[in-house]
Amino acid sequence: MPLNNLEVVTLFVHDIAVAKAFYAKVFAVEVVYFDDVSAVLGLSGAMINLLEESQAPELVEPLQPARHGVRALLTIKVADVDVECARLAQLGIDLLNGPVNRPWGRRTAAFRDPSGHVWELAQDV
């Protein structure tokens, strides 16, 4: 059986309340489940699990979650990157880069959440 049915992406966060508020504001997602240390958000066919860093060790043992440096780029396909960037600006979200046309045929822009996870908005051009 191929490993091609993405269900959940777990993001280790510094502060669950701040992360939950950020994702509700930016993505307007459905909260599937929440408790004191996590929030599971529905995201069009998959879920994002925001999990307090203190809970991470038992999931990734013997490794430890990294606190510094970019370890992943999560991409959301959108119809119009420029429109979404304007919406993010209205929400007070700063872009890391873009919008820019990439040589591989996509227009992209990137921003980060309060815990440092980087998200990319992308459209086909």
Side-chain angles (χ1 to χ4, degrees):
M1 178 175 193
L3 300 176
N4 63 0
N5 190 17
L6 179 65
E7 181 183 24
V8 179
V9 173
T10 297
L11 301 176
F12 303 127
V13 301
H14 306 312
D15 182 315
I16 192 63
V18 170
K20 186 177 167 187
F22 177 87
Y23 279 81
K25 177 172 72 172
V26 172
F27 294 104
V29 293
E30 170 196 6
V31 177
V32 176
Y33 171 83
F34 72 93
D35 60 21
D36 292 341
V37 295
S38 69
V40 179
L41 312 173
L43 194 66
S44 185
M47 291 179 280
I48 300 291
N49 177 28
L50 304 172
L51 186 64
E52 283 273 358
E53 288 175 338
S54 64
Q55 306 301 303
E58 76 176 88
L59 296 177
V60 298
E61 291 180 316
L63 302 176
Q64 293 295 316
R67 283 200 67 121
H68 304 288
V70 177
R71 302 289 299 173
L73 174 69
L74 304 158
T75 302
I76 301 287
K77 187 174 184 176
V78 298
D80 189 322
V81 166
D82 295 280
V83 167
E84 293 302 324
C85 287
R87 187 179 71 81
L88 290 176
Q90 289 177 339
L91 295 173
I93 308 299
D94 295 324
L95 296 178
L96 296 172
N97 62 60
V100 61
N101 289 335
R102 303 293 184 180
W104 51 89
R106 299 194 105 190
R107 184 162 179 78
T108 70
F111 64 97
R112 68 177 164 205
D113 76 6
S115 293
H117 302 106
V118 179
W119 286 88
E120 175 186 64
L121 302 175
Q123 79 180 73
D124 294 328
V125 290

